[in-house]
Amino acid sequence: IVDALRLSRGMTVKATAAGLNLGGGKGVIIGDPKTDKSEGLFRAYGRFIESLKGRFITGEDVGIDVNDVEYMFMGTRYVCGLSKAHGGGGDPAPVTAFGVLQGMRACADERLGQSSLKGVTVAIQGLGSVGFPLARLLKEEGAEIVATDLNEERRQHAADALGIKVVTPSEIYDVPADIFAPCALGAVVNDETLDRMKFKIIAGAANNQLAENRHGVELFERNILYAPDYVINAGGMINV
């Protein structure tokens, strides 16, 4: 519940920073996406969203894909990120990845004195719907990539498909990289991880990367340039 409230606050700030006409909120279904998903679950969620009469519009995020949204659509008109067949813009995750890439370029220009990411080492945490396409884009840019994911199959797939170096989840904070890109869950910049970070830049797609606001101050004092997550990852929200 705390995470859901943090996410709703993050969406509100993101919508404001992006100049969107809607506010921000977040719906969270507590469960394991590998085992708990069903058509009935998402249709029921859609009916609940419909009962709010447009005060809240739902869509994809961690653990939720276009197929899940299609089931929600059966119960509510207040859903975005639909497939193009239903008049939507499709999966917003690749657009989020593209936006993060632009943010990384801006950060590199500010901190490294170069807008090109060629030869820049990027440590990516999370190889899901945003992290994997981001890794592909960075590969095309000529960046050196070290990545991880809690799912071993995803790590192996990224290593095989993109030819990038992968490490275990616990090792990613110690990677000697220029840029750290959190693309999984939030609160990864915290009291336990800060001392391990030797990065020059933190720029990634995850929501609520700072465990507490004071950790942003600590990054500033350590001369680590932090791209506010609610700005750099807003591409998908703008898209839908």
Side-chain angles (χ1 to χ4, degrees), residues 17 26 29 80 113 135 195 197:
K26 177 65 72 173
I29 299 174
C80 57
D195 284 336
M197 294 181 174

Side-chain angles (χ1 to χ4, degrees), residues 28 60 70 73 121 201:
V28 177
E60 295 96 332
E70 297 290 319
F73 186 51
T121 303
I201 297 166

Side-chain angles (χ1 to χ4, degrees), residues 26-48:
K26 177 65 72 173
V28 177
I29 299 174
I30 299 174
D32 184 344
K34 294 179 183 175
T35 57
D36 297 339
K37 283 187 180 186
S38 72
E39 177 180 345
L41 174 71
F42 291 118
R43 292 180 73 160
Y45 177 63
R47 291 194 297 272
F48 169 69

Side-chain angles (χ1 to χ4, degrees), residues 190-239:
N190 55 56
D191 291 335
E192 284 70 43
T193 61
L194 258 172
D195 284 336
R196 298 169 61 184
M197 294 181 174
K198 309 303 178 192
F199 314 112
K200 297 182 178 72
I201 297 166
I202 296 179
N207 288 310
N208 301 326
Q209 294 167 26
L210 306 178
E212 298 177 40
N213 286 341
R214 63 182 175 84
H215 293 119
V217 177
E218 289 198 39
L219 289 176
F220 178 77
E221 291 173 346
R222 292 167 188 248
N223 199 28
I224 298 174
L225 178 62
Y226 171 61
D229 44 39
Y230 53 84
V231 174
I232 194 172
N233 69 7
M237 190 178 195
I238 295 167
N239 180 63

